[in-house]
Amino acid sequence: MTETMLAAYFTEDNSPLEIRETAIPQPGKGEVLVKMESCGVCHTDVHFWKGEDELPRPKPAILGHEGVGSIVAVGDGVELTAGERVGVGFVYSACGNCRECRKGLETYCQNSQATGVHVDGCFAQYIVAPADWVTHIPGELSSEEACPLLCAGVTAFSAVRKANIEPGSVVVIFGLGGLGQYAIQFAKLFGAKVIGIDLDPKKLETAKRLGAHAAYAPGEEAEKAIHELGGADALLSFAPSPQVFRNMFTLAAPTARFIQVALPNNPFTFKAAELIDLGITIIGSADGTRLERDQVMQLAKDGLVHSNVETMEFSNINEAFRRLDAGEADGRLVVQF
Amino acid sequence: MTETMLAAYFTEDNSPLEIRETAIPQPGKGEVLVKMESCGVCHTDVHFWKGEDELPRPKPAILGHEGVGSIVAVGDGVELTAGERVGVGFVYSACGNCRECRKGLETYCQNSQATGVHVDGCFAQYIVAPADWVTHIPGELSSEEACPLLCAGVTAFSAVRKANIEPGSVVVIFGLGGLGQYAIQFAKLFGAKVIGIDLDPKKLETAKRLGAHAAYAPGEEAEKAIHELGGADALLSFAPSPQVFRNMFTLAAPTARFIQVALPNNPFTFKAAELIDLGITIIGSADGTRLERDQVMQLAKDGLVHSNVETMEFSNINEAFRRLDAGEADGRLVVQF
Amino acid sequence: MTETMLAAYFTEDNSPLEIRETAIPQPGKGEVLVKMESCGVCHTDVHFWKGEDELPRPKPAILGHEGVGSIVAVGDGVELTAGERVGVGFVYSACGNCRECRKGLETYCQNSQATGVHVDGCFAQYIVAPADWVTHIPGELSSEEACPLLCAGVTAFSAVRKANIEPGSVVVIFGLGGLGQYAIQFAKLFGAKVIGIDLDPKKLETAKRLGAHAAYAPGEEAEKAIHELGGADALLSFAPSPQVFRNMFTLAAPTARFIQVALPNNPFTFKAAELIDLGITIIGSADGTRLERDQVMQLAKDGLVHSNVETMEFSNINEAFRRLDAGEADGRLVVQF
Amino acid sequence: MTETMLAAYFTEDNSPLEIRETAIPQPGKGEVLVKMESCGVCHTDVHFWKGEDELPRPKPAILGHEGVGSIVAVGDGVELTAGERVGVGFVYSACGNCRECRKGLETYCQNSQATGVHVDGCFAQYIVAPADWVTHIPGELSSEEACPLLCAGVTAFSAVRKANIEPGSVVVIFGLGGLGQYAIQFAKLFGAKVIGIDLDPKKLETAKRLGAHAAYAPGEEAEKAIHELGGADALLSFAPSPQVFRNMFTLAAPTARFIQVALPNNPFTFKAAELIDLGITIIGSADGTRLERDQVMQLAKDGLVHSNVETMEFSNINEAFRRLDAGEADGRLVVQF
Ligand SMILES: [Zn+2]
Ligand SMILES: [Zn+2]
Ligand SMILES: [Zn+2]
Ligand SMILES: [Zn+2]
Ligand SMILES: [Zn+2]
Ligand SMILES: [Zn+2]
Ligand SMILES: [Zn+2]
Ligand SMILES: [Zn+2]
């Protein structure tokens, strides 16, 4: 193993990441060293880079939390072995022992760390990660396909799981980009009749190709069609607009569930009567558990969920950031090492 | 049976109800005739009477939906018999057959009728009601105690049931009037550690007497105490103020449930991040099902829930309305025939 | 409307049903008169006919509980109209008001009646049924396809719903005849990875055609394959053999659910340790609710579940009984009027 | 700290445990050293000692899995500190990372170890245990009270949690010894109406004192009383007799849940129709999770569950084993160091 590696350092808001040589980290007890093969670029990375979110540690820092590669070394007490392919997702580690962890709410662990946020991330040729927190990648999946599943995929899956869908449920999905496209596929796997809503006509076509029963721009046509189906049993928002939240009330069937994933800054408003008259349930959802990561990988392995991925060279990572920020990416962008 | 009865007619907004003589209605197929013994006066009645809510039928009209009395005649096909004591609550009837009814969501039936709202109510010496929709009143309960259970009691019970409480859960109840007092008792029956919040010091004392672990005015002391317990697992609002909704976010543990029952007119606001960071669930709740009415009556019969009732003569019904409107009622007011 | 109709009378155990002329029944209040178009023949009919189950009313009697036809007349208080196509399934009526009905457990109503069992059934040109209990048949479905869905289809669907399946769950289905074939399709709609088990090699092929991941005869190969998948999360038995119950323990993952639908006469045995060591849950399931009937019809309308139906003339009903009893029917037999 | 300790060694089936001097173990990374204050004696210990269950490791071996004491030393990476009082229960450790652990089913972890079974247990003055797996003991609880809660208490609590109890549910508890007495108290905390069943008249009195609505010997009187309540919604068996399983079917309401905890060797039998006609659910339950241990300690701290404990000197441990085996213990026996 060479003793240095290349890593992309975030040094200053909005400045190009700098690819530098640095020492390869070494795995401690319970840790593995992973040689990265590919890593997805996520809006979360871009938000930090643009200074829209503040990184809770000093720069320079390595971002990236959708990394897939092979184990090349392991610390003491690790049962995984060199050669196994694993993913490193957004939650880098949780304590396994606090009240939230004991409740199975590991994503709410008060002692958890996020990859690229609290510790160096996957935009580097090597990363050390806790053996208990890496995700097994089935052999049938390419590394680049697996990357966005670790973050966008599992976030969409967790949201859909919270929606209490059963075969025949009418499910409306707002925002048909990366997460929304995953959500369509997952909702279909639960047997739902899926309606997609987006302003972009191209995305409406994509939604139908992915199995949506119908797809509409927001407006009267959508409303009429959904009312004819008896209203929506579940509504999931991946579109960062408070207006979408208002539209949910218009389309809901009694006791509908709203699952909120998008994070617009502008506040949401509603009146108590809107909530109570229909017995609405509103749920906030983010990320997913290790179990959900495993489930997503199994579904992808079985060919039941597909990723729309475009690959770029690691050396072009700044171009990847630029394109994602400019909305010039059609699918998920993944850099390859 | 005499052929006429006395009934209190709502004739004009804010004018005294007029007690008039009118024909006793006759039960049709599947209906029972109930001779009223007592009927609770509810804020909903007062809202209609003051014109704050609009009655969906012409006046003069008989209000009242917390009535208890004895069956004196039955129509064809009814298995109940004269002499049985029954209650007539807010939902007068649902169709039993629409999509919502088939889902067990009878309180969201699109063909349902509300007592006193769509049909004449219980502020009369007799009422006809569907046999399938009256509630059996156990012999151990007095009629006046049973009255408020039919509306306030079952509304509080249904809200508490939606809160996913188990023994040891920390439950915060905002608003310690009639509904809140019931909610304390029910949450205790689920094993909760209950914290009451209200501005009125007298109600804080009542809450503790009813079994609350602690009771506070809104503010820092409450916040500190609840955080020391690890945050609230469930928060129920019976206080008609949007500020209470804001306070819920301050007190919530991860994945807390907010149950909204109070109906302030001013809108609620929140940011998506507040919902998502803690994985909050917000649920609207109103009224309850026939099953929940039966459950509440059983719990009251077994001495597990108590009502704070003040009785007045039916002839004083206008004084009851005035006192309820003026906030001069300590517990629930019930008129007796 | 003619005033008489033909009906197939069960007169004596094992004697041919007698097709006789009789008066067309008239719908009372809340009832509809349905002109039958087709009716499925079910093992339950054959069991009564052979005297293996005892009919709780005197003979001659009309059997049949998978009937589909068009409404030709309605009684008072019915909102359905002539011309609508409806199905009459096994539960003819429930009271809507007893404790079980109020709990939403209408199939356990203590006052319920079964079609063909407690009242005359659908092997007749006309039947009267309660308007609240007939099932709407979507225009996209043929009557003969709809028939077996009313009994076999809804029974399989209700069983699958109880299995807590989510995408990727490993579900083993024992017995791949009519119900098992429906169960495969429904489990797939919940996203399951389905394994079929049957002794008949032809049925194993059918199972795979219907979407099963794999299908095996009982034995070591099946066991090995299911263990490689991590064990079964849910196991459903439509095979009337106590041995199948024993096999479930061999194939189960921790906290697996066993759903028992088949009704062998021989007793089942197990040891407490078998149940406790893996935290197994065993659930008995029969029939389904009106809501489940509606769900099944929607799924069939959307082309998501298919029936394997063979039609015969009503005049050949005795041949249908003979073939079903002899195991000579490949799919579900439906007589046409 | 002294360098040797006393420990009770199980050397041969049915021979007295030998109290010997041995080296105090040292805590490794992630471990704590606990100085025992008291440890409960459990039937599981006696079964091993009598050779009825086989210990999966060589003798001499230290049994005991209901130990409470204070931390006196900690290994690397441990946040607990010397002086904290903790409990060591039956599950000594689980891996936190296998499929079952990721599902939150830590008690089914394929890599778990049991205290006293796979590793030396608590019948010693000191024990080393994983920091993540010890249970915090609130200051309000005495060590001897806490001991049986770690095993008998949490087993009863987990069983009651699986019973889907809500206020007013009718819950029948078979076997009113240690576990059954805890189960009565926990079921009451969920709001249940509890009926106790036992052959021993003294235990029936104890059950009523602990809050049971009624308590009966098995037989017609019990049956009549439970049927008058509408049948049992949940039935829990802590009595090691297959006959109890048969009795459950006699007493069940539709869709009742049977929770099986007792482990008789004789097989259980039932017919499919018994399960299906009432829609019964049968669930196996053992032990509980760390979360459930924490919940039980909180409930005990709040005075909501009480233990019936008799203390003995550690030097008398063989007398404790004898008495437990002979059925001469009234409550739970706890040895003190
Ligand atoms: Zn991401
Ligand atoms: Zn944690
Ligand atoms: Zn309805
Ligand atoms: Zn009211
Ligand atoms: Zn059938
Ligand atoms: Zn009923
Ligand atoms: Zn034990
Ligand atoms: Zn594990």
Side-chain angles (χ1 to χ4, degrees):
Chain A
M1 185 188 325
T2 60
E3 301 199 328
T4 63
M5 65 173 187
L6 296 178
Y9 280 94
F10 167 35
T11 57
E12 217 178 314
D13 291 356
N14 296 298
S15 289
L17 305 180
E18 291 178 23
I19 297 186
R20 301 183 188 166
E21 209 166 331
T22 185
I24 295 175
Q26 295 307 312
K29 188 172 173 194
E31 293 179 334
V32 295
L33 177 65
V34 183
K35 183 171 193 304
M36 280 289 124
E37 296 172 7
S38 36
C39 181
V41 184
C42 177
H43 283 285
T44 304
D45 296 315
V46 174
H47 288 313
F48 282 120
W49 175 66
K50 295 182 72 177
E52 292 165 359
D53 287 327
E54 201 183 343
L55 204 65
R57 65 185 167 121
K59 287 166 269 194
I62 306 174
L63 299 170
H65 59 266
E66 303 183 355
V68 171
S70 287
I71 293 176
V72 290
V74 303
D76 283 351
V78 171
E79 302 204 351
L80 299 171
T81 54
E84 287 190 53
R85 204 155 48 108
V86 296
V88 178
F90 189 68
V91 179
Y92 179 80
S93 67
C95 77
N97 193 29
C98 71
R99 191 181 68 150
E100 274 65 42
C101 284
R102 289 190 172 196
K103 282 186 179 177
L105 305 174
E106 61 189 30
T107 48
Y108 300 101
C109 172
Q110 302 298 324
N111 311 309
S112 69
Q113 294 190 296
T115 312
V117 180
H118 303 96
V119 297
D120 273 340
C122 302
F123 292 142
Q125 289 177 314
Y126 294 87
I127 186 173
V128 157
D132 282 2
W133 273 87
V134 298
T135 297
H136 172 71
I137 309 294
E140 293 82 349
L141 274 183
S142 74
S143 291
E144 57 266 28
E145 273 178 292
C147 286
L149 291 171
L150 285 165
C151 177
V154 76
T155 298
F157 184 65
S158 188
V160 169
R161 274 186 100 205
K162 295 182 176 92
N164 265 16
I165 299 172
E166 67 174 328
S169 294
V170 175
V171 175
V172 176
I173 294 175
F174 296 89
L176 302 176
L179 275 84
Q181 289 172 24
Y182 281 127
I184 291 170
Q185 296 177 74
F186 291 127
K188 289 283 296 178
L189 284 178
F190 281 87
K193 182 171 286 192
V194 180
I195 316 288
I197 308 276
D198 202 294
L199 289 162
D200 178 349
K202 262 200 325 202
K203 286 184 177 156
L204 300 182
E205 288 315 305
T206 303
K208 283 185 254 184
R209 199 164 28 75
L210 290 170
H213 172 76
Y216 304 97
E220 279 180 28
E221 189 192 359
E223 203 174 316
K224 187 157 164 280
I226 292 162
H227 284 177
E228 272 168 14
L229 294 171
D233 299 305
L235 305 100
L236 293 88
S237 174
F238 303 99
S241 148
Q243 181 54 39
V244 165
F245 182 71
R246 298 297 323 144
N247 291 351
M248 288 187 177
F249 288 102
T250 315
L251 303 175
T255 69
R257 291 168 89 82
F258 298 0
I259 314 294
Q260 184 67 34
V261 178
L263 277 159
N265 274 316
N266 295 337
F268 291 4
T269 63
F270 69 100
K271 294 188 68 171
E274 294 179 302
L275 193 77
I276 291 169
D277 288 354
L278 283 179
I280 299 297
T281 295
I282 304 172
I283 305 173
S285 182
D287 211 315
T289 61
R290 289 175 293 169
L291 177 66
E292 288 168 337
R293 285 188 200 167
D294 292 338
Q295 290 178 289
V296 164
M297 291 304 161
Q298 282 301 312
L299 297 172
K301 169 195 157 184
D302 289 346
L304 299 171
V305 59
H306 297 282
S307 298
N308 178 8
V309 165
E310 185 183 348
T311 58
M312 300 178 69
E313 291 296 308
F314 174 51
S315 55
N316 287 335
I317 189 167
N318 283 298
E319 171 66 0
F321 269 60
R322 189 199 62 74
R323 283 181 55 199
L324 191 63
D325 186 35
E328 292 175 15
D330 216 42
R332 301 287 294 190
L333 296 177
V334 170
V335 296
Q336 287 187 298
F337 295 88
Chain B
M1 187 188 322
T2 60
E3 301 198 329
T4 62
M5 66 174 187
L6 296 178
Y9 281 93
F10 168 32
T11 56
E12 217 177 318
D13 290 357
N14 296 300
S15 288
L17 303 180
E18 292 177 23
I19 296 187
R20 301 181 189 168
E21 208 167 333
T22 186
I24 295 174
Q26 295 307 311
K29 188 174 173 192
E31 294 180 333
V32 296
L33 178 65
V34 183
K35 185 171 192 306
M36 281 289 122
E37 295 172 7
S38 37
C39 181
V41 184
C42 177
H43 283 285
T44 303
D45 296 316
V46 173
H47 289 312
F48 281 121
W49 174 67
K50 295 182 71 177
E52 292 165 359
D53 287 327
E54 200 182 344
L55 203 65
R57 65 184 166 120
K59 286 165 270 194
I62 306 173
L63 297 170
H65 59 265
E66 302 182 354
V68 171
S70 288
I71 293 177
V72 290
V74 303
D76 284 350
V78 171
E79 301 204 351
L80 300 171
T81 53
E84 287 189 52
R85 204 155 48 111
V86 296
V88 179
F90 189 67
V91 179
Y92 180 79
S93 68
C95 78
N97 192 30
C98 71
R99 191 180 68 149
E100 273 64 42
C101 283
R102 288 189 172 196
K103 281 187 178 174
L105 306 174
E106 61 190 30
T107 48
Y108 300 102
C109 172
Q110 301 298 325
N111 312 308
S112 69
Q113 295 190 295
T115 311
V117 181
H118 303 97
V119 298
D120 273 340
C122 302
F123 291 143
Q125 289 176 314
Y126 293 88
I127 187 173
V128 157
D132 282 2
W133 273 85
V134 297
T135 297
H136 172 72
I137 308 295
E140 292 82 349
L141 275 183
S142 74
S143 292
E144 57 267 27
E145 272 180 292
C147 285
L149 291 171
L150 285 166
C151 177
V154 77
T155 298
F157 184 66
S158 188
V160 170
R161 275 185 98 206
K162 295 183 175 92
N164 266 15
I165 300 170
E166 64 174 330
S169 295
V170 175
V171 175
V172 176
I173 294 176
F174 297 89
L176 303 175
L179 274 84
Q181 289 172 23
Y182 282 127
I184 291 170
Q185 297 176 74
F186 291 127
K188 289 284 296 177
L189 284 178
F190 281 87
K193 182 171 287 193
V194 180
I195 317 289
I197 308 276
D198 203 294
L199 290 162
D200 178 350
K202 261 199 326 201
K203 288 185 175 154
L204 300 181
E205 288 316 304
T206 303
K208 281 185 256 184
R209 200 166 25 78
L210 290 170
H213 172 77
Y216 304 98
E220 279 178 28
E221 189 192 357
E223 203 173 316
K224 184 154 165 285
I226 291 164
H227 284 178
E228 271 167 17
L229 293 171
D233 299 304
L235 305 100
L236 292 88
S237 172
F238 302 99
S241 146
Q243 182 53 40
V244 166
F245 182 71
R246 297 297 322 144
N247 292 352
M248 288 187 178
F249 287 101
T250 315
L251 303 174
T255 69
R257 293 168 87 83
F258 297 1
I259 313 294
Q260 183 67 34
V261 178
L263 276 160
N265 274 316
N266 295 339
F268 291 5
T269 63
F270 69 102
K271 292 189 69 172
E274 294 178 304
L275 192 77
I276 292 169
D277 288 354
L278 283 179
I280 299 297
T281 296
I282 305 171
I283 304 173
S285 182
D287 212 315
T289 60
R290 289 175 292 170
L291 177 66
E292 288 168 336
R293 287 187 199 166
D294 293 339
Q295 290 178 290
V296 164
M297 292 303 160
Q298 282 300 311
L299 296 171
K301 169 195 156 186
D302 289 345
L304 299 171
V305 58
H306 297 280
S307 298
N308 179 7
V309 165
E310 184 183 348
T311 57
M312 301 178 69
E313 291 296 308
F314 175 51
S315 55
N316 286 338
I317 189 165
N318 282 300
E319 172 65 1
F321 269 59
R322 189 199 62 73
R323 284 183 54 199
L324 192 61
D325 185 36
E328 291 175 15
D330 215 43
R332 301 287 294 189
L333 296 178
V334 171
V335 296
Q336 287 188 297
F337 295 88
Chain C
M1 187 188 326
T2 60
E3 302 198 327
T4 62
M5 67 173 187
L6 296 177
Y9 280 94
F10 168 34
T11 58
E12 218 177 314
D13 290 358
N14 296 298
S15 289
L17 304 180
E18 292 177 23
I19 297 187
R20 301 182 187 167
E21 209 167 330
T22 186
I24 295 175
Q26 296 306 313
K29 187 170 175 195
E31 294 179 333
V32 296
L33 177 65
V34 183
K35 185 172 190 304
M36 281 289 123
E37 295 173 7
S38 36
C39 181
V41 184
C42 178
H43 283 285
T44 304
D45 296 315
V46 173
H47 288 313
F48 281 121
W49 175 66
K50 294 183 72 178
E52 292 165 359
D53 287 328
E54 201 183 343
L55 204 65
R57 67 186 164 120
K59 285 166 271 192
I62 306 173
L63 298 171
H65 57 264
E66 303 183 354
V68 171
S70 287
I71 293 176
V72 290
V74 303
D76 284 352
V78 171
E79 301 204 351
L80 299 171
T81 53
E84 287 189 53
R85 205 154 48 110
V86 296
V88 178
F90 188 68
V91 180
Y92 180 80
S93 67
C95 78
N97 192 30
C98 71
R99 192 181 67 149
E100 274 64 42
C101 283
R102 288 189 173 197
K103 281 187 179 176
L105 306 174
E106 62 190 28
T107 48
Y108 300 101
C109 172
Q110 302 298 326
N111 313 308
S112 69
Q113 295 190 294
T115 312
V117 180
H118 303 96
V119 297
D120 273 339
C122 302
F123 291 144
Q125 288 176 314
Y126 293 87
I127 187 173
V128 158
D132 282 2
W133 273 85
V134 297
T135 296
H136 171 72
I137 308 294
E140 292 82 349
L141 274 184
S142 74
S143 292
E144 56 266 27
E145 272 179 291
C147 286
L149 291 171
L150 285 166
C151 176
V154 77
T155 298
F157 184 65
S158 188
V160 170
R161 276 185 96 204
K162 294 182 176 92
N164 265 15
I165 300 171
E166 67 174 326
S169 294
V170 175
V171 175
V172 176
I173 294 176
F174 296 89
L176 303 176
L179 274 85
Q181 290 173 23
Y182 281 127
I184 291 170
Q185 299 178 71
F186 290 128
K188 289 283 296 177
L189 285 177
F190 281 87
K193 181 172 287 192
V194 179
I195 316 289
I197 308 276
D198 203 294
L199 289 162
D200 178 351
K202 263 199 327 201
K203 286 184 177 155
L204 301 181
E205 287 316 303
T206 303
K208 283 186 254 185
R209 200 166 25 77
L210 289 171
H213 172 74
Y216 303 97
E220 280 181 26
E221 189 191 357
E223 204 173 314
K224 186 156 165 282
I226 291 163
H227 284 177
E228 271 167 16
L229 294 170
D233 299 304
L235 305 100
L236 293 88
S237 173
F238 303 99
S241 147
Q243 182 54 40
V244 165
F245 182 70
R246 298 295 324 143
N247 291 350
M248 289 186 176
F249 287 102
T250 315
L251 302 175
T255 69
R257 291 167 90 81
F258 298 179
I259 315 293
Q260 183 67 34
V261 179
L263 276 160
N265 274 316
N266 296 337
F268 292 5
T269 63
F270 69 102
K271 293 187 70 172
E274 293 179 304
L275 192 78
I276 291 169
D277 288 353
L278 283 179
I280 299 297
T281 296
I282 304 172
I283 305 174
S285 182
D287 212 314
T289 60
R290 289 176 293 169
L291 177 65
E292 288 169 335
R293 285 187 199 166
D294 293 339
Q295 289 177 289
V296 164
M297 292 302 159
Q298 282 301 311
L299 296 171
K301 169 194 157 185
D302 289 345
L304 299 171
V305 59
H306 297 282
S307 298
N308 178 8
V309 165
E310 184 183 346
T311 58
M312 299 178 71
E313 290 296 309
F314 175 51
S315 55
N316 287 335
I317 188 165
N318 283 298
E319 172 66 2
F321 269 60
R322 190 198 61 75
R323 284 182 54 199
L324 192 61
D325 185 35
E328 292 175 14
D330 218 44
R332 300 288 293 192
L333 296 178
V334 171
V335 297
Q336 287 188 298
F337 295 86
Chain D
M1 187 187 326
T2 60
E3 302 197 330
T4 61
M5 66 175 186
L6 295 177
Y9 280 93
F10 167 34
T11 57
E12 217 177 316
D13 291 357
N14 296 299
S15 288
L17 304 180
E18 291 177 23
I19 296 186
R20 301 183 187 166
E21 209 166 331
T22 186
I24 295 174
Q26 295 307 312
K29 187 172 173 194
E31 293 179 335
V32 296
L33 177 65
V34 183
K35 184 172 191 305
M36 281 291 121
E37 295 172 6
S38 36
C39 181
V41 184
C42 178
H43 283 285
T44 303
D45 296 315
V46 173
H47 289 312
F48 282 120
W49 175 68
K50 295 183 71 178
E52 293 165 358
D53 287 327
E54 200 184 342
L55 204 65
R57 65 184 167 123
K59 287 166 268 195
I62 307 173
L63 299 171
H65 57 265
E66 304 183 353
V68 171
S70 287
I71 293 176
V72 290
V74 303
D76 284 350
V78 170
E79 303 204 350
L80 299 171
T81 53
E84 289 190 51
R85 203 155 48 110
V86 296
V88 178
F90 189 68
V91 180
Y92 180 79
S93 67
C95 77
N97 192 30
C98 70
R99 192 181 67 150
E100 273 64 42
C101 283
R102 288 189 172 197
K103 281 186 178 175
L105 305 174
E106 63 191 27
T107 47
Y108 300 101
C109 173
Q110 301 298 325
N111 312 307
S112 69
Q113 295 190 295
T115 311
V117 180
H118 303 96
V119 298
D120 272 340
C122 303
F123 291 142
Q125 289 176 315
Y126 293 88
I127 187 172
V128 157
D132 283 2
W133 273 86
V134 298
T135 297
H136 171 72
I137 308 294
E140 291 84 349
L141 275 183
S142 74
S143 291
E144 57 267 27
E145 273 178 292
C147 286
L149 291 171
L150 285 166
C151 177
V154 77
T155 298
F157 184 64
S158 189
V160 170
R161 274 185 98 204
K162 294 181 176 93
N164 266 14
I165 299 171
E166 65 174 327
S169 294
V170 175
V171 175
V172 176
I173 294 176
F174 297 88
L176 303 175
L179 274 85
Q181 288 172 24
Y182 281 128
I184 290 169
Q185 298 177 72
F186 291 128
K188 288 283 297 177
L189 284 178
F190 281 87
K193 182 171 287 192
V194 180
I195 316 289
I197 308 276
D198 203 292
L199 289 163
D200 178 349
K202 260 199 328 202
K203 287 185 177 155
L204 300 181
E205 287 317 303
T206 303
K208 283 186 254 183
R209 201 169 22 79
L210 290 170
H213 172 75
Y216 304 97
E220 278 179 28
E221 189 191 357
E223 202 173 316
K224 184 155 166 283
I226 292 163
H227 284 178
E228 270 168 15
L229 293 171
D233 299 305
L235 305 100
L236 293 87
S237 173
F238 302 99
S241 147
Q243 181 53 40
V244 165
F245 182 70
R246 299 297 322 144
N247 291 351
M248 288 187 176
F249 288 102
T250 315
L251 303 174
T255 70
R257 292 167 89 82
F258 297 1
I259 314 293
Q260 183 67 33
V261 178
L263 276 160
N265 274 316
N266 295 338
F268 291 5
T269 62
F270 68 103
K271 293 190 69 173
E274 292 178 305
L275 192 77
I276 292 169
D277 288 354
L278 282 180
I280 298 298
T281 295
I282 304 171
I283 303 174
S285 182
D287 212 316
T289 61
R290 289 176 291 170
L291 177 65
E292 288 168 336
R293 286 188 199 165
D294 293 337
Q295 290 177 289
V296 164
M297 292 302 162
Q298 282 301 312
L299 296 172
K301 169 193 157 186
D302 289 346
L304 300 171
V305 59
H306 297 282
S307 298
N308 179 8
V309 166
E310 183 183 349
T311 58
M312 300 177 70
E313 290 297 309
F314 174 52
S315 55
N316 287 336
I317 188 165
N318 283 299
E319 171 67 0
F321 269 60
R322 190 199 61 75
R323 284 183 54 200
L324 192 61
D325 185 36
E328 291 175 16
D330 216 43
R332 301 287 293 189
L333 296 178
V334 171
V335 296
Q336 287 188 297
F337 295 88

